[in-house]
Amino acid sequence: MKRSRFTEEQIIGILKEQEAGLKVSDLCRKHGISDATFYKWKTRYGGLEVSEAKRLKALEDENIRLKRLLADAMLDNAALKEIVGKKVVTPVAKRQAVRHIREALALSERRACALVGVARRVARYVSTGADDAALRQRLRELADQRRRFGYRRLGYLLAREGFSPNHKKLFRLYQAEGLKVRHRGGRKRALGTRSPMTIPQEPGQRWSLDFVSDALICGRRFRILAVIDDFSRKNLALVTDTSLSGGRVARELTVLVERYGKPLMIVSDNGTEFTSHAILKWADEMKIEWHYIAPGKLQQNGFVESFNGRLRDECLNETLFTSLSHARQVLADWREDYNTVRPHSQLDGRTPDQIARQGSRGHAPETLVIQSTQSHKKRELSF
């Protein structure tokens, strides 16, 4: 609005001159105003004194100020509604909120930063870090393929492809992409001291056996015999059928002995298949020591129990089996991947096949080492 060159006091004085008897035309000529301006003044200020005009001006200024404050408050409220439901905690989130408010409501940077509660230098910050778009993309792809892998195991796969982020950066990207593996609920396990664990020193010294069960989509149950080499963690066999007797177990073990050589010891639980006459006779004929763990002490057969957990978590729980042949094919593919591709955390990211190839079965000493989990003292047992 164009500001008048006359103050309220001067305008009221001009009106008083007209009331004193001066003609309007002479009055307008004297002060250099038009007739329209005079009559507009008379409509607005006619009958007012100077003190009343001052009070009216103060009220108008206060009204303008209050209107401006109300408009600012409404605009601030609208800006805050733009970021309702968004978690504005980190500097990155605050920068995004400031940018969104400025684009949506055309506010100044100073005002937007004041609403969000962030310094302007923080809002203007531009990251100088390396572009991790390719690493993030590959990390997401691997996580989609290996849904039950954590960030460390995915890191082993990335290292094979030439990516070399340290574990802290890898974990940060893993969390930023929302790739955390949801832990499935499990039963509570009893706590207590553990018995010493027998650790083989060469591939082929000791095998571990156990059964895993699952069902087809039609509800029919089937069983899986898992055989692993405790040193290399290599899965030697996944025998799948609706029933597996002691005689069938003996036949499958004979095939494995012909393929991989005879172990010094086989460890299993006290299941009826493993304590049958067929198994006792087979172990006596093959001159292989068969060790049964203490009843209820699954930790004494920890290698195959750990393998069973990975098998169920990464394969059985992720697949719907339509038939027994389908289950055998899926398990065969998973076994090949487990032995040759999947990195093993206890093997420093290497695969069981790599560990098995490093050992020389023909030069292996016929000894096993017992290692206590408490004292870490070792002693040798001869066979």
Side-chain angles (χ1 to χ4, degrees):
M1 179 179 178
K2 184 178 180 180
R3 185 175 180 180
S4 175
R5 58 192 177 92
F6 296 95
T7 64
E8 285 82 359
E9 294 84 353
Q10 292 172 336
I11 293 173
I12 293 175
I14 294 172
L15 294 178
K16 292 295 183 183
E17 291 181 17
Q18 189 269 338
E19 292 176 1
L22 191 62
K23 292 183 179 180
V24 173
S25 57
D26 296 338
L27 187 63
C28 292
R29 187 181 304 108
K30 175 183 177 181
H31 294 286
I33 61 175
S34 64
D35 293 349
T37 301
F38 174 81
Y39 287 112
K40 184 175 68 174
W41 287 352
K42 190 172 184 179
T43 301
R44 184 173 182 181
Y45 298 103
L48 293 178
E49 298 296 334
V50 174
S51 60
E52 293 176 343
K54 289 182 178 180
R55 186 171 58 85
L56 179 61
K57 177 62 176 176
L59 291 176
E60 289 178 350
D61 291 342
E62 181 67 16
N63 190 33
I64 292 174
R65 188 179 69 85
L66 292 177
K67 285 183 178 179
R68 185 180 294 112
L69 290 176
L70 179 60
D72 290 343
M74 294 178 65
L75 188 59
D76 292 347
N77 189 30
L80 293 176
K81 286 183 179 179
E82 290 289 332
I83 58 176
V84 169
K86 300 178 181 178
K87 193 172 182 181
V88 186
V89 178
T90 63
V92 175
K94 290 183 178 181
R95 280 195 290 270
Q96 292 175 351
V98 169
R99 190 180 306 112
H100 178 72
I101 290 174
R102 295 191 64 191
E103 293 175 355
L105 302 175
L107 294 181
S108 65
E109 181 187 64
R110 186 186 302 275
R111 189 169 181 180
C113 291
L115 289 174
V116 176
V118 61
R120 295 171 67 190
R121 61 181 179 83
V122 177
R124 294 175 179 176
Y125 174 78
V126 177
S127 176
T128 58
D131 184 14
D132 298 321
L135 176 59
R136 287 173 177 265
Q137 177 65 24
R138 188 53 184 158
L139 184 61
R140 287 194 299 268
E141 292 175 356
L142 290 175
D144 289 340
Q145 298 171 7
R146 312 279 186 165
R147 301 196 309 167
R148 302 304 300 174
F149 278 18
Y151 79 98
R152 293 184 184 276
R153 208 178 302 277
L154 292 175
Y156 292 137
L157 297 178
L158 289 172
R160 295 178 184 175
E161 300 179 7
F163 295 100
S164 57
N166 60 36
H167 67 282
K168 292 181 290 185
K169 180 176 182 178
L170 181 61
F171 181 66
R172 185 168 63 251
L173 297 178
Y174 182 80
Q175 284 190 316
E177 295 297 327
L179 302 176
K180 183 179 179 181
V181 178
R182 187 179 68 177
H183 294 286
R184 296 188 173 101
R187 64 179 180 86
K188 293 184 178 179
R189 291 171 171 79
L191 299 177
T193 57
R194 295 184 176 182
S195 301
M197 177 68 70
T198 305
I199 307 297
Q201 299 300 296
E202 293 288 341
Q205 286 188 340
R206 192 185 70 186
W207 294 353
S208 295
L209 281 67
D210 200 9
F211 284 107
V212 184
S213 63
D214 206 342
L216 306 176
I217 58 176
C218 63
R220 188 180 184 186
R221 305 292 298 181
F222 65 89
R223 305 184 75 192
I224 305 168
L225 172 64
V227 184
I228 67 167
D229 178 82
D230 288 353
F231 178 81
S232 64
R233 312 299 203 273
K234 182 175 182 178
N235 176 227
L236 304 181
L238 286 176
V239 183
T240 307
D241 212 330
T242 52
S243 64
L244 295 167
S245 62
R248 173 70 180 280
V249 172
R251 292 197 302 272
E252 296 294 341
L253 290 177
T254 301
V255 174
L256 293 179
V257 168
E258 294 174 353
R259 182 181 304 170
Y260 297 105
K262 186 169 64 174
L264 303 177
M265 177 187 290
I266 294 179
V267 181
S268 72
D269 57 21
N270 296 273
T272 56
E273 297 85 355
F274 299 138
T275 56
S276 64
H277 289 292
I279 290 296
L280 296 177
K281 181 180 178 182
W282 179 87
D284 184 63
E285 292 176 352
M286 299 295 292
K287 306 299 181 182
I288 297 176
E289 181 172 350
W290 197 290
H291 176 73
Y292 296 100
I293 65 174
K297 301 294 183 180
L298 300 181
Q299 68 272 19
Q300 295 181 9
N301 201 16
F303 292 108
V304 73
E305 292 293 344
S306 175
F307 171 81
N308 291 345
R310 303 285 74 75
L311 172 64
R312 185 168 297 281
D313 186 48
E314 298 175 12
C315 181
L316 301 183
N317 289 348
E318 297 291 311
T319 311
L320 293 176
F321 300 109
T322 58
S323 63
L324 196 60
S325 59
H326 177 228
R328 286 170 177 165
Q329 182 60 47
V330 170
L331 289 171
D333 294 340
W334 186 86
R335 173 177 171 270
E336 179 67 20
D337 179 82
Y338 178 88
N339 286 335
T340 60
V341 179
R342 181 187 184 275
H344 202 295
S345 58
Q346 293 299 317
L347 303 178
D348 296 328
R350 292 173 292 178
T351 63
D353 252 10
Q354 291 175 330
I355 300 299
R357 287 196 298 268
Q358 289 177 3
S360 175
R361 182 64 185 91
H363 298 84
E366 296 190 356
T367 59
L368 295 180
V369 174
I370 292 183
Q371 180 177 352
S372 171
T373 58
Q374 296 177 351
S375 62
H376 299 286
K377 295 180 179 179
K378 297 183 180 179
R379 61 188 178 88
E380 292 187 351
L381 292 182
S382 300
F383 294 96

